[in-house]
Amino acid sequence: FSFFATGQPSRAHPRRPSWIRLGKSVQALAAIKLRKERGFDGNVTPIITTAISRGDWRREIKRVWPTAATAILCADEPKYRKVSESPEEFSQRQLDAWIPVLRGEVPGADHHFPIVSFESIPKLLQASMQHELVYDTVICSEAHRLKRYSTRTSKSFRPLAAKARVVMLDTGTPVHNRPHDLYNLLDTCKMGYAGNFTNWVNRYFFMHVTSGGYGRSVGNFLGPSYKQALIFDTADLMLSR
């Protein structure tokens, strides 16, 4: 079971990530709580978001789910290397500091939310692989950051998504300019869902290749009926408010 949630950004405070007040985060937390009550979910749910939004997520969780434990995980903590440590030992000590949170070992908490910035996804993947941690649910906020398959962020997130039973991608702008903006989000949320990129694009769009290669094609819908077909074909995966 996977879903991809979209919404409209708020205009109340254009200089800060005030979208969190519009309910996407609450919907995601409610879904996790419901799955947990029905015995479908574990007790750890990583949240990946922008660095500036990590505090907002923590406050929102405390408001909606007071008995849950939260921790903001940073790639550069601990910040200082001991004199006797090698760079490899220091990196490992940073990694080990994450493990109690990622394993859900905080006493008295009925759920755990490690909150990670996009820049820390490679370290989250490293910790998960090294300690064989698998999460039932992974949340990625501002998921349009994953629109390009070739980026380091996207490549690091996909293995986490592949192992999770539920992947929640939240964004207010699933498509910026080109068809492939949406394609990679759909394919990341549910591997293989959209099929081959070229076939998927040709199914809905008239393409004009400007420079050749993946990511450099632009195009419009073949017609109004093709736009409706795309909406229909993604209805079981994409939620829009």
Side-chain angles (χ1 to χ4, degrees):
F1 170 73
S2 305
F3 72 83
F4 172 75
T6 69
Q8 294 298 323
S10 171
R11 297 182 181 178
H13 303 282
R15 294 187 179 181
R16 66 187 305 275
S18 53
W19 60 265
I20 203 163
R21 293 186 176 86
L22 294 184
K24 294 196 302 295
S25 58
V26 175
Q27 291 176 357
L29 294 173
I32 293 170
K33 199 164 188 176
L34 180 62
R35 286 177 53 80
K36 184 176 179 66
E37 290 173 353
R38 295 181 177 181
F40 296 147
D41 216 356
N43 68 335
V44 180
T45 302
I47 297 174
I48 298 164
T49 186
T50 58
I52 197 173
S53 298
R54 291 175 298 181
D56 288 333
W57 266 100
R58 169 178 267 180
R59 286 188 290 271
E60 192 77 352
I61 292 169
K62 289 297 184 184
R63 183 178 70 86
V64 176
W65 200 335
T67 57
T70 61
I72 295 178
L73 308 179
C74 302
D76 58 349
E77 293 183 358
K79 294 184 178 181
Y80 303 107
R81 179 162 63 96
K82 297 178 181 179
V83 176
S84 59
E85 279 184 321
S86 67
E88 293 76 17
E89 291 172 334
F90 176 56
S91 178
Q92 185 61 47
R93 185 161 65 91
Q94 288 182 317
L95 199 64
D96 291 342
W98 289 29
I99 301 308
V101 180
L102 296 177
R103 285 180 174 169
E105 297 175 347
V106 178
D110 62 354
H111 204 82
H112 302 73
F113 291 96
I115 305 171
V116 185
S117 69
F118 283 98
E119 293 74 18
S120 299
I121 293 179
K123 199 156 189 120
L124 175 62
L125 176 62
Q126 182 184 354
S128 302
M129 294 178 63
Q130 184 171 323
H131 295 269
E132 299 181 348
L133 302 176
V134 178
Y135 313 104
D136 287 300
T137 304
V138 176
I139 298 174
C140 182
S141 176
E142 302 299 309
H144 50 269
R145 296 279 295 270
L146 304 174
K147 66 180 182 179
R148 297 294 177 90
Y149 176 83
S150 58
T151 64
R152 182 189 182 197
T153 298
S154 184
K155 288 181 177 180
S156 299
F157 181 77
R158 286 178 70 87
L160 293 172
K163 292 183 178 181
R165 294 180 60 189
V166 176
V167 180
M168 301 184 186
L169 305 182
D170 296 344
T171 179
T173 51
V175 176
H176 279 176
N177 297 304
R178 300 180 178 89
H180 69 262
D181 290 352
L182 180 59
Y183 171 83
N184 196 52
L185 296 182
L186 294 173
D187 194 60
T188 299
C189 188
K190 191 172 183 179
M191 304 296 178
Y193 177 85
N196 176 270
F197 172 75
T198 302
N199 293 338
W200 181 81
V201 166
N202 291 334
R203 192 181 312 156
Y204 307 105
F205 303 97
F206 172 78
M207 302 307 299
H208 172 65
V209 181
T210 56
S211 301
Y214 178 81
R216 295 176 181 167
S217 301
V218 296
N220 298 313
F221 282 102
L222 290 168
S225 61
Y226 292 89
K227 181 177 181 179
Q228 291 301 318
L230 178 60
I231 294 173
F232 178 81
D233 290 345
T234 58
D236 63 335
L237 190 68
M238 188 170 175
L239 303 179
S240 179
R241 297 185 294 108

